Amino acid sequence: MTIKDKVIVITGASSGIGQATAEVLAKDGAKLVLGARREDRLKAIATKFPAGQVLYQKTDVTDRQSVASLVELAKNQFGRVDVLYNNAGLMPISELSELKVDEWERMIDVNIKGVLYGIAAVLPIMIAQNQGHVITTDSVAGHIVHPGTAVYAGTKYAIQAIMDGLRQEQVAHHIRTTMISPGAVNTELFSTITNPQTRARIEKDEKENGLAAADVANAVAYAIDQPDNVAINEVLLRPRSQKL
């Protein structure tokens, strides 16, 4: 079993990288359970594929029970969970002196705690199965900090630690881990930036130079579509023109 017939749960699946990944994996024959806050968009994705192949549920990754319910849907309907893709994330970047504390807290809730809630939901299932794969969207910002990204990069550095800890702890249960770490991607991620000048700059750069969401989706598919003895622990990808 490679991608075909694998049961894959994706958070943040209503747009951007999550949507593109859902569509790539569904075309390859995976059974998907999609979660996001925008249920209408999830429905639109599901209707592109045969009935019963793509399920969806409104999900808030800052709510542990909401994430657990999404994973439970996959387990109840398909009998197992082969892959969890923790993709939901926010990027309201700003300099620390702007004191956007509410935005810092929201990033911590979504980018870190949301990932931990996903791991908490699938880990008992995967341990019982003696196999599984946890994938998380990290970022080039998990490797490099520059002005304006201190808190955002902090959440992505945290993912590096969490995912490598998970990898080390679960070797005996054959649970693979992968971080997908893109640079600039042309998605809606810039829309959470509240500083008008910063938002305009990031939007322009991502639209003109960013990777397509499908480029990142292909990296996810590559990591999944490996023999059981192979773990792709990180895929780091940038637009060819991106320096940092």
Side-chain angles (χ1 to χ4, degrees):
M1 182 173 61
T2 53
I3 292 176
K4 182 175 170 55
D5 293 327
K6 278 195 172 178
V7 178
I8 302 174
V9 178
I10 304 175
T11 66
S14 62
S15 64
I17 293 169
Q19 177 180 348
T21 302
E23 293 177 352
V24 165
L25 297 177
K27 288 173 184 175
D28 286 342
K31 298 173 182 176
L32 302 180
V33 177
L34 309 180
R37 290 174 299 161
R38 294 176 291 189
E39 191 173 14
D40 58 330
R41 293 199 180 189
L42 298 177
K43 181 179 180 181
I45 298 166
T47 55
K48 296 179 182 180
F49 299 97
Q53 182 187 0
V54 180
L55 307 181
Y56 61 90
Q57 185 166 288
K58 185 175 181 178
T59 305
D60 178 356
V61 299
T62 69
D63 181 335
R64 180 179 177 184
Q65 184 52 50
S66 182
V67 178
S69 178
L70 182 71
V71 171
E72 185 178 6
L73 173 63
K75 181 68 165 60
N76 289 344
Q77 293 297 316
F78 296 122
R80 64 183 191 277
V81 179
D82 297 304
V83 181
L84 166 68
Y85 182 20
N86 283 310
N87 173 65
L90 296 174
M91 191 187 71
I93 59 174
S94 62
E95 294 199 0
L96 293 170
S97 60
E98 295 179 64
L99 300 180
K100 294 182 179 286
V101 178
D102 289 346
E103 294 179 6
W104 303 349
E105 292 179 343
R106 182 68 177 167
M107 276 191 282
I108 290 168
D109 286 345
V110 174
N111 297 359
I112 301 178
K113 292 170 71 174
V115 169
L116 289 170
Y117 292 160
I119 292 170
V122 299
L123 201 52
I125 296 170
M126 292 182 176
I127 289 172
Q129 293 171 168
N130 205 35
Q131 69 89 22
H133 192 173
V134 178
I135 305 173
T136 296
T137 300
D138 197 57
S139 175
V140 168
H143 298 264
I144 298 170
V145 182
H146 54 81
T149 70
V151 179
Y152 176 68
T155 67
K156 295 304 183 178
Y157 272 80
I159 294 306
Q160 295 275 342
I162 291 165
M163 291 294 287
D164 198 52
L166 178 65
R167 177 189 66 80
Q168 294 178 47
E169 292 173 5
Q170 294 304 323
V171 167
H173 291 112
H174 309 106
I175 296 172
R176 302 190 292 184
T177 66
T178 303
M179 291 174 287
I180 302 295
S181 297
V185 185
N186 184 11
T187 68
E188 298 176 1
L189 199 57
F190 70 85
S191 66
T192 61
I193 300 171
T194 54
N195 180 301
Q197 292 75 31
T198 303
R199 175 173 171 161
R201 174 174 56 82
I202 297 298
E203 180 179 5
K204 182 176 185 294
D205 182 54
E206 291 186 350
K207 288 184 174 180
E208 292 181 355
N209 303 304
L211 298 167
D215 297 328
V216 185
N218 289 334
V220 177
Y222 168 76
I224 296 171
D225 194 23
Q226 297 296 318
D228 286 343
N229 66 311
V230 177
I232 305 298
N233 298 129
E234 183 170 19
V235 180
L236 182 62
L237 65 159
R238 295 175 172 89
R240 181 190 52 77
S241 60
Q242 181 174 334
K243 293 181 180 179
L244 296 179

